[in-house]
Amino acid sequence: RALARPQAASRIADMRLDREVVAVAQELLGKLERNRRHPTFLKVFPTGETRSVTQAAYMTTEPLLVQQIETRLREVRDLPGIAVLADRLKERREAALANYARLGEARAAYRGARTEELLARDVLRDVLARNEGALLSLFPQQRSLVRAFFASDRGAQGVDEPGAAGLAAEKPQADS
């Protein structure tokens, strides 16, 4: 749940970036009489389509591809308004990168919190095992009562028979 919001924001930013790439391509085509084979369009979009950009890996490859498109758009000098298209792409790309960074930070924080929780559980298990051992040595005749108190981690334990050989005859339990 801690990651749900940053993941959603990251996906939304990716969709917005995809839509902006398509919108820029459409506006560029509008300036080039809808000709996908126009040298200027092929200079900006070498494959002649946007799919190679919009379907790229959204946190790694896509921002680099969009940055290349921005650079190519800025190199086009003979069409008015091209710099505005490049600026729009840059704005969306930077917003997406900021969201990707926040998602990365949230993932790192989650992993750190999870690691701390697991370490704390290990410490707690060790303390409980020492306490169980101490109580078993203090009350060897009431092993089933002591084990019942500590049974939540291992499940139900068998009841010791009266007259059992004691601690030496019993096999040690492995922690899970």
Side-chain angles (χ1 to χ4, degrees):
R1 291 180 188 215
L3 295 177
R5 210 169 270 219
Q7 285 174 337
S10 182
R11 292 293 180 163
I12 290 169
D14 174 56
M15 290 186 321
R16 287 180 177 158
L17 182 59
D18 290 347
R19 277 189 272 151
E20 192 64 38
V21 167
V22 171
V24 164
Q26 291 301 317
E27 286 186 45
L28 183 59
L29 281 171
K31 294 177 185 288
L32 301 173
E33 299 175 1
R34 316 293 306 154
N35 183 0
R36 288 186 176 271
R37 294 186 183 167
H38 193 283
T40 302
F41 188 78
L42 292 175
K43 178 180 180 182
V44 177
F45 294 95
T47 62
E49 62 182 10
T50 58
R51 188 176 310 145
S52 60
V53 177
T54 60
Q55 292 183 354
Y58 78 96
M59 289 180 65
T60 54
T61 309
E62 186 174 14
L64 296 173
L65 295 174
V66 171
Q67 188 173 21
Q68 291 171 357
I69 292 170
E70 288 171 41
T71 303
R72 292 183 202 125
L73 278 170
R74 292 188 195 286
E75 292 170 357
V76 174
R77 303 280 183 219
D78 55 343
L79 290 176
I82 293 297
V84 173
L85 299 178
D87 290 342
R88 284 182 15 210
L89 271 180
K90 181 179 180 184
E91 183 181 322
R92 285 289 183 205
R93 181 180 55 84
E94 288 175 349
L97 287 173
N99 276 296
Y100 302 160
R102 283 192 287 277
L103 176 58
E105 291 167 3
R107 284 178 174 164
Y110 176 78
R111 282 191 298 269
R114 184 72 178 137
T115 300
E116 288 177 17
E117 176 187 350
L118 293 174
L119 290 173
R121 285 182 182 197
D122 286 344
V123 168
L124 183 59
R125 277 193 195 100
D126 290 345
V127 169
L128 286 173
R130 279 195 305 262
N131 288 341
E132 182 180 11
L135 287 172
L136 285 171
S137 66
L138 289 172
F139 304 103
Q141 300 301 320
Q142 297 179 354
R143 298 179 75 68
S144 61
L145 180 62
V146 171
R147 292 251 165 99
F149 182 76
F150 290 96
S152 64
D153 192 33
R154 290 190 301 249
Q157 301 290 322
V159 177
D160 291 334
E161 295 290 325
L167 288 175
E170 206 165 89
K171 295 179 183 175
Q173 296 273 336
D175 283 347
S176 51

